[in-house]
Amino acid sequence: MVFKQAARNLSGKIRRKVANSVNLTLERWHDRRWLPSAPNPVLNEALGSSATTPSDISDHVGTLFYEAVSTRPRLIVELGTRGGVSTRALLAAAEISDAHVLSIDIDECSNINFPDRFRRRWTFIRADDVAFAGEPFATFCATRGIPPVADVILIDTSHLFEHTRAEIKSWIPRLADRGVVMFHDTNMGVYRRLDGEFALGWDNQRGVIKAIEEFLGRSYAEQTFFADVTGGFAITHLPWSSGLLVMRKLGNLQVQAV
């Protein structure tokens, strides 16, 4: 009896020790922070130091690259260039896909230092992106001998409701069947990066996500990860790092909104 009792006590101590070890491990994982990486060598080369420099777009460059490549694009359009971090991801996709990137910004961004093999796939035009969606875009495509449509569109400009609404009205008709349009800054204000750091954005009064909601006839909680299918689009939203919403056009497949 004494031996059995000692065995039970020992067994209980082992179970408690194992449970404590598991709890400590779970606590460490609970505090874990996630970091972006660029395992694809072309993407890594295009990003350069941007691959490890935290910003409000750095957590999304892998998604931009993946979504762009998956369309098998001929033409990628970037609305809003700024420092060119997103441009680098799109140029990597263009290099793999033998495509071209057209970047449009109201500010001068043509002097960004890209490696030569990526720069040859890039055209920068300083212009109002809404105005450019009309005849100027058609002319640009005609000179390249391609239809006046974009396989990929990234919208990352003023983040204001009226401007985003105008961009949707002007550029969605330019999106190719099975094309993808991506919107950055759908979840602004105080935002969190994947590394756990918080940063202060600015209150755009839900400008980007509000314009998307109006276009799709939906209401979204932009602080959440969500997926949706409506209005002829498959939609995914990533809430971290100011938010990124991806809308993939479903071509001739008609999806009835509920």
Side-chain angles (χ1 to χ4, degrees):
M1 293 292 294
V2 174
F3 176 78
K4 290 182 178 179
Q5 183 62 43
R8 282 196 292 270
N9 290 340
L10 180 61
S11 177
K13 289 180 181 179
I14 292 173
R15 287 198 298 270
R16 285 193 294 274
K17 186 175 181 179
V18 171
N20 287 337
S21 178
V22 170
N23 284 335
L24 287 172
T25 300
L26 290 175
E27 286 176 5
R28 286 195 292 269
W29 274 94
H30 177 73
D31 293 332
R32 185 182 178 95
R33 300 296 183 254
W34 304 102
L35 300 174
S37 63
N40 183 277
V42 178
L43 176 60
N44 189 61
E45 180 187 352
L47 290 175
S49 62
S50 300
T52 56
T53 303
S55 71
D56 65 345
I57 193 72
S58 58
D59 286 338
H60 296 306
V61 292
T63 301
L64 300 180
F65 172 73
Y66 165 79
E67 293 292 347
V69 171
S70 67
T71 66
R72 301 181 180 181
R74 282 189 294 180
L75 180 61
I76 299 169
V77 173
E78 177 189 51
L79 308 180
T81 305
R82 200 171 56 174
V85 177
S86 58
T87 316
R88 292 176 183 273
L90 298 176
L91 284 170
E95 179 69 16
I96 288 175
S97 307
D98 191 22
H100 195 79
V101 177
L102 167 63
S103 296
I104 303 166
D105 201 298
I106 59 172
D107 294 323
E108 179 56 56
C109 304
S110 61
N111 59 351
I112 299 172
N113 186 24
F114 299 125
D116 288 343
R117 76 157 166 156
F118 299 109
R119 180 170 284 277
R120 67 187 177 88
R121 296 192 176 277
W122 188 51
T123 298
F124 174 79
I125 295 178
R126 185 177 183 181
D128 177 282
D129 67 313
V130 174
F132 193 87
E135 187 59 35
F137 180 69
T139 301
F140 172 85
C141 292
T143 60
R144 303 188 67 86
I146 60 175
V149 294
D151 303 289
V152 179
I153 301 172
L154 171 63
I155 298 178
D156 188 7
T157 55
S158 70
H159 322 314
L160 299 174
F161 171 69
E162 291 294 347
H163 187 204
T164 306
R165 177 198 238 177
E167 288 171 324
I168 290 173
K169 182 178 179 180
S170 300
W171 282 100
I172 291 296
R174 294 298 195 185
L175 186 64
D177 285 347
R178 305 287 179 172
V180 63
V181 56
M182 296 176 280
F183 298 82
H184 188 222
D185 294 300
T186 51
N187 182 26
M188 297 188 71
V190 177
Y191 67 88
R192 185 173 183 174
R193 298 196 305 261
L194 289 178
D195 62 7
E197 293 298 318
F198 287 87
L200 184 63
W202 58 282
D203 184 7
N204 69 332
Q205 302 294 308
R206 303 184 71 246
V208 177
I209 194 70
K210 183 179 176 182
I212 295 168
E213 288 176 327
E214 180 185 79
F215 174 69
L216 294 174
R218 290 287 211 222
S219 294
Y220 292 124
E222 66 269 26
Q223 300 84 13
T224 67
F225 170 87
F226 62 79
D228 193 11
V229 179
T230 188
F233 291 91
I235 300 150
T236 306
H237 182 250
L238 311 178
W240 51 85
S241 299
S242 291
L244 181 75
L245 187 136
V246 179
M247 291 172 43
R248 181 167 294 278
K249 198 172 180 181
L250 297 176
N252 294 325
L253 176 61
Q254 296 299 312
V255 179
Q256 184 176 359
V258 177

